[in-house]
Amino acid sequence: MSGLHLRITKYFVISAFCILFLASAIIAIEIHYHLAMFQNESAHSQAMNPLSHHLERALLSSLLYTVIGVFLLVMIVSYFVAKKMSTPLVRMRYAAEQMAGGNWEVRTEMRGDDEVSELGKSLNQLAEQLQAQESVRKQMTSDIAHELRTPLSTLKSHMEAFEDGVWEPTAERLSSCTEEINRLIHLIEDFDRLNDVEAPQFTLQKEHIDISGIIMKAIEAVQATAIQKNIKIQTKLHPFFLAADRERMIQVLLNILTNSLAYTPRGGQIEAAVEEKSGYALLSIRDNGEGMSKEGVQRAFERLYRDDPSRNRRSGGSGLGLSIVKRLVEAHSGEVWIESSKGEGTAVFITLPLGKG
């Protein structure tokens, strides 16, 4: 018998004993009182005394045997009721211990819809989430190692070539090393930004801004790249005021525009627009680039995910930009999603609540 099972059984038995003792005492007193009163009031009290005493003893004996029988029955019932109550709790304790030991696959079998069953189901959901988080952590660790390995391997091969005299340290080759170092720096900076956004102490510095003006500032920041690739950026903007963090929103738009420029071919075009929809500002950035697969659309906001795994960071970025976008938009009480298909371009949509907030 487990400790919880024993405690519940003991509480039931003690409670039943107290109730039975109190009820028996009251009934015994009542029997004695009424029989005594009957004897005093009876005209033939002397002749009735033996009968009254015999009746009183019979009643009290019956009461005693009834109490003993009920008490034994209560003990048996309490044992099984306590077992039924404690079993799911013991199972949940076992599951929690297994989870603490790193076994995320453990589950508790719960039936019914009472509070204990709901607790067990919540524990199962927690185990599922922890298992998913562990899977994500392992995948992320592998992805980070891959992301760091590529530039470091390139730098190592360059340095060895310089040391062995195979290559002369020309300006072009040194510039290639500098590019790899810059990519590592950008990757680390992206991780820092993402950690900042996900930190519990993260707060937005909101102010009343025109979102169309913020979009134009972001476009100006990437205009040089657009000109180099002969990509035309068109706008359909109108003044829409809302409460937002100016710098964070510029960061969101820069990440989206940078992705669009990276995957839009030379001579392509990008359109940035904003309109009002049901009390929200609907921002959209569309391109006529290569588009994304269905899986890519579903997983675009995951850390380090790129639609084409064969892409390196030269064409595919760090894979953290959209993760940062999603968390910043959600921090503004908004939503972000992607609509795309292979060969038909990509559209990124953002909704933000209008007004002063």
Side-chain angles (χ1 to χ4, degrees), residues 208-216 236-242 273-276 280-283 354-355:
H208 201 48
I209 62 172
D210 176 12
I211 193 62
S212 295
I214 298 299
I215 293 174
M216 287 305 302
K236 293 182 180 179
L237 306 176
H238 306 281
F240 285 100
F241 291 90
L242 49 84
V274 61
E275 59 182 301
E276 183 177 358
Y280 285 81
L282 176 62
L283 288 65
L354 293 171

Side-chain angles (χ1 to χ4, degrees), residues 292-302 305-307 309 340:
M292 302 171 64
S293 65
K294 183 179 294 186
E295 182 187 5
V297 172
Q298 294 174 346
R299 300 184 58 191
F301 298 104
E302 294 180 12
Y305 178 78
R306 288 197 293 271
D307 194 27
S340 179

Side-chain angles (χ1 to χ4, degrees), residues 70 90 146 248 256 269 292-293 330:
V70 171
V90 172
H146 175 74
R248 297 297 187 179
I256 297 173
Q269 65 179 27
M292 302 171 64
S293 65
E330 289 176 347

Side-chain angles (χ1 to χ4, degrees), residues 45-110:
S45 60
Q46 194 70 27
M48 295 293 295
N49 279 342
L51 179 61
S52 298
H53 290 313
H54 180 74
L55 179 61
E56 183 176 1
R57 286 197 298 270
L59 290 174
L60 292 176
S61 297
S62 299
L63 178 62
L64 177 62
Y65 293 141
T66 302
V67 169
I68 293 173
V70 171
F71 184 71
L72 293 175
L73 180 63
V74 166
M75 289 182 64
I76 296 171
V77 172
S78 297
Y79 173 83
F80 289 104
V81 171
K83 184 176 182 180
K84 187 173 181 61
M85 292 179 62
S86 63
T87 296
L89 296 175
V90 172
R91 288 176 181 170
M92 283 187 276
R93 186 197 68 178
Y94 172 77
E97 290 174 350
Q98 291 294 308
M99 291 165 58
N103 181 11
W104 310 119
E105 298 180 359
V106 66
R107 299 290 185 273
T108 58
E109 183 180 352
M110 305 303 299

Side-chain angles (χ1 to χ4, degrees), residues 52-230:
S52 298
H53 290 313
H54 180 74
L55 179 61
E56 183 176 1
R57 286 197 298 270
L59 290 174
L60 292 176
S61 297
S62 299
L63 178 62
L64 177 62
Y65 293 141
T66 302
V67 169
I68 293 173
V70 171
F71 184 71
L72 293 175
L73 180 63
V74 166
M75 289 182 64
I76 296 171
V77 172
S78 297
Y79 173 83
F80 289 104
V81 171
K83 184 176 182 180
K84 187 173 181 61
M85 292 179 62
S86 63
T87 296
L89 296 175
V90 172
R91 288 176 181 170
M92 283 187 276
R93 186 197 68 178
Y94 172 77
E97 290 174 350
Q98 291 294 308
M99 291 165 58
N103 181 11
W104 310 119
E105 298 180 359
V106 66
R107 299 290 185 273
T108 58
E109 183 180 352
M110 305 303 299
R111 297 176 182 175
D113 55 359
D114 56 16
E115 288 79 0
V116 175
S117 297
E118 291 298 324
L119 178 60
K121 292 173 184 177
S122 299
L123 187 64
N124 288 339
Q125 292 175 356
L126 176 61
E128 291 174 2
Q129 292 176 0
L130 290 173
Q131 186 177 14
Q133 289 293 327
E134 179 67 10
S135 177
V136 170
R137 184 190 67 80
K138 290 180 179 179
Q139 182 62 43
M140 185 177 174
T141 302
S142 175
D143 290 341
I144 292 174
H146 175 74
E147 295 293 329
L148 295 175
R149 187 182 299 113
T150 303
L152 290 174
S153 297
T154 302
L155 285 171
K156 182 174 181 292
S157 62
H158 283 30
M159 293 299 103
E160 288 176 347
F162 292 149
E163 290 176 354
D164 296 340
V166 177
W167 278 1
E168 290 293 329
T170 62
E172 182 180 355
R173 288 166 179 164
L174 290 175
S175 176
S176 176
C177 293
T178 302
E179 287 180 8
E180 296 299 332
I181 293 171
N182 288 334
R183 289 189 186 93
L184 282 171
I185 293 172
H186 292 157
L187 178 63
I188 293 171
E189 288 175 347
D190 282 343
F191 272 116
D192 283 340
R193 293 191 189 100
L194 189 57
N195 287 334
D196 288 342
V197 173
E198 293 180 335
Q201 65 271 21
F202 173 75
T203 56
L204 297 172
Q205 303 298 321
K206 289 188 176 182
E207 54 183 301
H208 201 48
I209 62 172
D210 176 12
I211 193 62
S212 295
I214 298 299
I215 293 174
M216 287 305 302
K217 286 186 176 293
I219 291 174
E220 291 173 5
V222 299
Q223 193 65 54
T225 304
I227 292 173
Q228 289 177 356
K229 295 188 66 175
N230 192 27

